[in-house]
Amino acid sequence: MSSSEFRDTLHVKFNRDGVTGYGEGAPIVRYHEDAITCQKALEPHLAFLESANPWEFEKLKSELFRKIEGNFAAKAAVDIALMDWVGKRMNVPLYRLLGLDAADAPVTTFSIGIDTPEITRQKVKEAEAFPVLKVKVGLKTDEPTIEAVRSVTKKPLRVDANEGWTDKEEAVRKINWLETQGVEFVEQPMPASMIEETKWVRKRVHLPLIADEAAVNVRAIPKLVDAYDGINVKLDKCGGFQEAMRMIQVAQSLGFKTMLGCMISSSVSVTAAAHLSPLVDYADLDGNLLIANDMFSGVTVRDGKLILPGDPGLGLKKIA
Ligand code: MG
């Protein structure tokens, strides 16, 4: 819902026994986090982390959650660095450590930013390699935007309203129109707090509704039953690998579809999420494809499908 020339993320390196684990967290402005607050939140705990036992990553994560309030991107950066280290020490890629099959990784959507109809058409053409596109809606310009996309492609679309509709009747109208436009599902149609209104909307539409801002952590999920059909899990939002897995498992046990999303970040954060992606139904993992200065290569995309690196840990290669 905004455009920017740069985004600051927080990078963490964990060194032990001559092995380095890399982690990254992309702070989310909506939750009043930025790279500086995250860095400051971590600083008092660096000595604790340096003396901690990385093999006890689950215990370590719990202690970090007790010590640090908010700043989930900082927690995610540490958690990812520890898991990269553990995978490297065990000499297995993370997906294997989790018992997953890399061949089950889903297709990722590619995001088309909001722009004029002319530039939107151009962006859709440039996204030719991606079989499913994601479009931001929830604005006055939704119809011209979708029509511009549809004028150049028949590909399935997924849309994210980012809490954009505050009127439930407008939400129903928009969602039912989007259904006629070949849209597969709608992410966060109404503000996160409007759970009752979203339940009302869900009874009057056919398209699945996916919770993003409404599903900040595992505790938030049970009350979303009947309001949503799926849950968008992000490492930066929930605080890392361990929490993301917990969210996916709880969501699935309650009958939700699951999705992995990301923020704008380097390949560190996106590759970490990709290692979990064989667990979920949908992926929206394109944050690393939208930057010009990626310091790492990791997960790649072939015909839209996420291809997980086979090297130990996250499987990253430093390229800059
Ligand atoms: Mg979203």
Side-chain angles (χ1 to χ4, degrees):
M1 304 306 277
S2 60
S3 70
S4 41
E5 294 298 312
F6 68 91
R7 293 284 177 91
D8 284 327
T9 62
L10 188 74
H11 284 258
V12 166
K13 267 198 247 180
F14 182 83
N15 295 304
R16 181 72 58 88
D17 306 339
V19 172
T20 303
Y22 292 97
E24 179 184 25
I28 305 180
V29 181
R30 170 136 182 351
Y31 308 118
H32 314 290
E33 289 182 21
D34 61 40
I36 301 296
T37 65
C38 285
Q39 189 178 0
K40 288 212 167 106
L42 267 190
E43 269 165 4
H45 308 292
L46 291 180
F48 157 74
L49 288 168
E50 277 160 14
S51 63
N53 181 353
W55 294 107
E56 295 168 357
F57 52 83
E58 172 69 35
K59 179 178 171 183
L60 236 162
K61 182 265 319 181
S62 300
E63 285 180 24
L64 207 61
F65 268 68
R66 269 197 301 279
K67 287 173 190 290
I68 299 178
E69 201 179 326
N71 292 293
F72 292 94
K75 294 165 183 161
V78 172
D79 197 35
I80 293 167
L82 289 171
M83 295 313 291
D84 187 32
W85 185 91
V86 168
K88 282 173 173 162
R89 280 297 312 269
M90 293 179 81
N91 204 29
V92 286
L94 270 185
Y95 68 80
R96 179 143 292 166
L97 191 61
L98 303 170
L100 302 174
D101 181 354
D104 294 337
V107 160
T108 180
T109 44
F110 184 76
S111 300
I112 304 295
I114 295 168
D115 222 308
T116 62
E118 192 185 332
I119 296 174
T120 300
R121 280 193 289 274
Q122 187 57 38
K123 285 181 174 176
V124 171
K125 286 178 191 164
E126 286 166 9
E128 201 181 4
F130 296 87
V132 187
L133 302 178
K134 176 166 169 175
V135 183
K136 299 275 183 188
V137 295
L139 298 168
K140 295 255 178 300
T141 51
D142 289 349
E143 283 85 354
T145 300
I146 297 290
E147 279 160 9
V149 173
R150 274 289 166 248
S151 71
V152 283
T153 185
K154 292 193 174 72
K155 286 174 188 173
L157 304 178
R158 297 171 186 170
V159 303
D160 188 352
N162 280 299
E163 314 181 278
W165 301 311
T166 49
D167 179 273
K168 56 189 185 182
E169 281 168 17
E170 183 195 15
V172 169
R173 241 183 354 261
K174 292 270 196 171
I175 294 166
N176 286 334
W177 178 76
L178 288 166
E179 187 186 0
T180 69
Q181 300 298 307
V183 166
E184 290 185 331
F185 63 68
V186 180
E187 198 178 316
Q188 202 60 56
M190 304 196 77
S193 59
M194 296 176 80
I195 296 175
E196 289 309 311
E197 291 85 345
T198 307
K199 284 181 189 169
W200 188 92
V201 168
R202 184 166 173 259
K203 287 200 195 103
R204 288 160 179 82
V205 300
H206 302 115
L207 290 185
L209 307 181
I210 310 289
D212 181 2
E213 286 82 352
V216 284
N217 53 31
V218 76
R219 225 174 27 252
I221 297 176
K223 58 178 181 281
L224 304 179
V225 172
D226 299 334
Y228 295 91
D229 303 276
I231 302 291
N232 183 355
V233 176
K234 293 176 182 162
L235 302 180
D236 309 291
K237 181 173 65 173
C238 68
F241 232 72
Q242 308 303 323
E243 286 305 294
M245 280 200 294
R246 216 156 20 160
M247 284 184 79
I248 292 168
Q249 286 156 355
V250 168
Q252 287 174 341
S253 72
L254 290 169
F256 287 108
K257 293 277 187 192
T258 50
M259 169 176 174
L260 271 162
C262 65
M263 305 305 292
I264 302 292
S265 68
S266 79
S267 283
V268 179
S269 175
V270 175
T271 302
H275 277 278
L276 285 177
S277 72
L279 281 173
V280 300
D281 302 291
Y282 313 113
D284 178 29
L285 296 177
D286 62 350
N288 57 331
L289 305 175
L290 304 170
I291 65 167
N293 60 343
D294 204 340
M295 295 187 294
F296 294 87
S297 66
V299 62
T300 55
V301 181
R302 194 186 305 143
D303 301 326
K305 193 176 157 70
L306 295 166
I307 308 294
L308 304 184
D311 289 342
L314 293 174
L316 298 168
K317 285 198 172 61
K318 207 143 196 296
I319 54 174

